PDB file of all heavy atoms in Angstrom:
ATOM      1  N   ALA I  80       6.145  23.988   3.145  1.00 66.00           N
ATOM      2  CA  ALA I  80       4.969  24.843   3.021  1.00 66.00           C
ATOM      3  C   ALA I  80       3.860  24.471   3.989  1.00 66.00           C
ATOM      4  O   ALA I  80       3.401  25.294   4.755  1.00 66.00           O
ATOM      5  CB  ALA I  80       4.446  24.821   1.593  1.00 66.00           C
ATOM      6  N   LEU I  81       3.450  23.243   3.964  1.00 73.00           N
ATOM      7  CA  LEU I  81       2.343  22.878   4.839  1.00 73.00           C
ATOM      8  C   LEU I  81       2.799  22.234   6.138  1.00 73.00           C
ATOM      9  O   LEU I  81       2.105  22.293   7.132  1.00 73.00           O
ATOM     10  CB  LEU I  81       1.410  21.897   4.119  1.00 73.00           C
ATOM     11  CG  LEU I  81       0.379  22.528   3.214  1.00 73.00           C
ATOM     12  CD1 LEU I  81      -0.446  21.446   2.554  1.00 73.00           C
ATOM     13  CD2 LEU I  81      -0.521  23.461   3.975  1.00 73.00           C
ATOM     14  N   GLY I  82       3.939  21.630   6.100  1.00 59.00           N
ATOM     15  CA  GLY I  82       4.345  20.893   7.280  1.00 59.00           C
ATOM     16  C   GLY I  82       3.585  19.587   7.345  1.00 59.00           C
ATOM     17  O   GLY I  82       2.725  19.315   6.530  1.00 59.00           O
ATOM     18  N   ARG I  89       6.352  20.726  14.229  1.00 45.00           N
ATOM     19  CA  ARG I  89       6.406  21.809  13.275  1.00 45.00           C
ATOM     20  C   ARG I  89       7.835  21.908  12.828  1.00 45.00           C
ATOM     21  O   ARG I  89       8.714  21.472  13.515  1.00 45.00           O
ATOM     22  CB  ARG I  89       5.984  23.096  13.930  1.00 45.00           C
ATOM     23  CG  ARG I  89       6.974  23.690  14.875  1.00 45.00           C
ATOM     24  CD  ARG I  89       8.228  24.156  14.406  1.00 45.00           C
ATOM     25  NE  ARG I  89       8.561  24.826  13.216  1.00 45.00           N
ATOM     26  CZ  ARG I  89       7.867  25.158  12.186  1.00 45.00           C
ATOM     27  NH1 ARG I  89       6.636  24.897  12.065  1.00 45.00           N
ATOM     28  NH2 ARG I  89       8.393  25.757  11.190  1.00 45.00           N
ATOM     29  N   HIS I  91       8.742  24.164   9.658  1.00 56.00           N
ATOM     30  CA  HIS I  91       9.089  25.241   8.731  1.00 56.00           C
ATOM     31  C   HIS I  91       8.571  26.564   9.280  1.00 56.00           C
ATOM     32  O   HIS I  91       7.886  26.593  10.256  1.00 56.00           O
ATOM     33  CB  HIS I  91       8.446  24.971   7.380  1.00 56.00           C
ATOM     34  CG  HIS I  91       6.981  25.151   7.411  1.00 56.00           C
ATOM     35  ND1 HIS I  91       6.384  26.314   7.067  1.00 56.00           N
ATOM     36  CD2 HIS I  91       6.008  24.327   7.800  1.00 56.00           C
ATOM     37  CE1 HIS I  91       5.103  26.184   7.219  1.00 56.00           C
ATOM     38  NE2 HIS I  91       4.836  24.996   7.660  1.00 56.00           N
ATOM     39  N   HIS I 121      -2.182  30.395   5.516  1.00 92.00           N
ATOM     40  CA  HIS I 121      -1.253  29.622   6.346  1.00 92.00           C
ATOM     41  C   HIS I 121       0.051  30.401   6.568  1.00 92.00           C
ATOM     42  O   HIS I 121       0.519  30.554   7.696  1.00 92.00           O
ATOM     43  CB  HIS I 121      -0.977  28.283   5.657  1.00 92.00           C
ATOM     44  CG  HIS I 121      -0.119  27.339   6.444  1.00 92.00           C
ATOM     45  ND1 HIS I 121      -0.636  26.228   7.057  1.00 92.00           N
ATOM     46  CD2 HIS I 121       1.214  27.342   6.709  1.00 92.00           C
ATOM     47  CE1 HIS I 121       0.350  25.584   7.685  1.00 92.00           C
ATOM     48  NE2 HIS I 121       1.480  26.233   7.472  1.00 92.00           N
ATOM     49  N   GLU I 122       0.600  30.905   5.481  1.00 89.00           N
ATOM     50  CA  GLU I 122       1.878  31.619   5.603  1.00 89.00           C
ATOM     51  C   GLU I 122       1.719  32.943   6.334  1.00 89.00           C
ATOM     52  O   GLU I 122       2.596  33.348   7.091  1.00 89.00           O
ATOM     53  CB  GLU I 122       2.509  31.827   4.222  1.00 89.00           C
ATOM     54  CG  GLU I 122       2.923  30.525   3.530  1.00 89.00           C
ATOM     55  CD  GLU I 122       3.854  29.661   4.385  1.00 89.00           C
ATOM     56  OE1 GLU I 122       4.616  30.199   5.215  1.00 89.00           O
ATOM     57  OE2 GLU I 122       3.815  28.424   4.234  1.00 89.00           O
ATOM     58  N   HIS I 125       1.772  32.480   9.962  1.00 86.00           N
ATOM     59  CA  HIS I 125       3.125  32.286  10.505  1.00 86.00           C
ATOM     60  C   HIS I 125       3.829  33.606  10.794  1.00 86.00           C
ATOM     61  O   HIS I 125       4.849  33.620  11.485  1.00 86.00           O
ATOM     62  CB  HIS I 125       3.982  31.455   9.543  1.00 86.00           C
ATOM     63  CG  HIS I 125       3.822  29.974   9.720  1.00 86.00           C
ATOM     64  ND1 HIS I 125       3.858  29.360  10.948  1.00 86.00           N
ATOM     65  CD2 HIS I 125       3.621  28.982   8.820  1.00 86.00           C
ATOM     66  CE1 HIS I 125       3.692  28.053  10.792  1.00 86.00           C
ATOM     67  NE2 HIS I 125       3.533  27.796   9.509  1.00 86.00           N
ATOM     68  N   HIS I 131       2.717  25.263  14.654  1.00 84.00           N
ATOM     69  CA  HIS I 131       1.373  24.847  14.254  1.00 84.00           C
ATOM     70  C   HIS I 131       0.578  24.516  15.510  1.00 84.00           C
ATOM     71  O   HIS I 131       0.249  23.367  15.765  1.00 84.00           O
ATOM     72  CB  HIS I 131       1.442  23.616  13.349  1.00 84.00           C
ATOM     73  CG  HIS I 131       2.066  23.912  12.027  1.00 84.00           C
ATOM     74  ND1 HIS I 131       2.926  23.064  11.391  1.00 84.00           N
ATOM     75  CD2 HIS I 131       1.938  24.967  11.213  1.00 84.00           C
ATOM     76  CE1 HIS I 131       3.315  23.596  10.247  1.00 84.00           C
ATOM     77  NE2 HIS I 131       2.735  24.751  10.111  1.00 84.00           N
ATOM     78  N   PHE I 135      -2.223  29.297  16.251  1.00 93.00           N
ATOM     79  CA  PHE I 135      -1.945  29.387  14.815  1.00 93.00           C
ATOM     80  C   PHE I 135      -3.193  29.036  14.003  1.00 93.00           C
ATOM     81  O   PHE I 135      -3.620  29.791  13.130  1.00 93.00           O
ATOM     82  CB  PHE I 135      -0.787  28.441  14.459  1.00 93.00           C
ATOM     83  CG  PHE I 135      -0.548  28.306  12.982  1.00 93.00           C
ATOM     84  CD1 PHE I 135       0.236  29.226  12.298  1.00 93.00           C
ATOM     85  CD2 PHE I 135      -1.117  27.256  12.266  1.00 93.00           C
ATOM     86  CE1 PHE I 135       0.442  29.107  10.930  1.00 93.00           C
ATOM     87  CE2 PHE I 135      -0.912  27.130  10.898  1.00 93.00           C
ATOM     88  CZ  PHE I 135      -0.134  28.055  10.232  1.00 93.00           C
TER      89      PHE I 135
HETATM   90 ZN1   ZN N 201       3.182  26.015   8.568  1.00 53.81          ZN
END
Side-chain angles (χ1 to χ4, degrees):
L81 276 179
R89 73 65 38 356
H91 71 94
H121 184 106
E122 295 305 331
H125 274 313
H131 293 140
F135 172 84

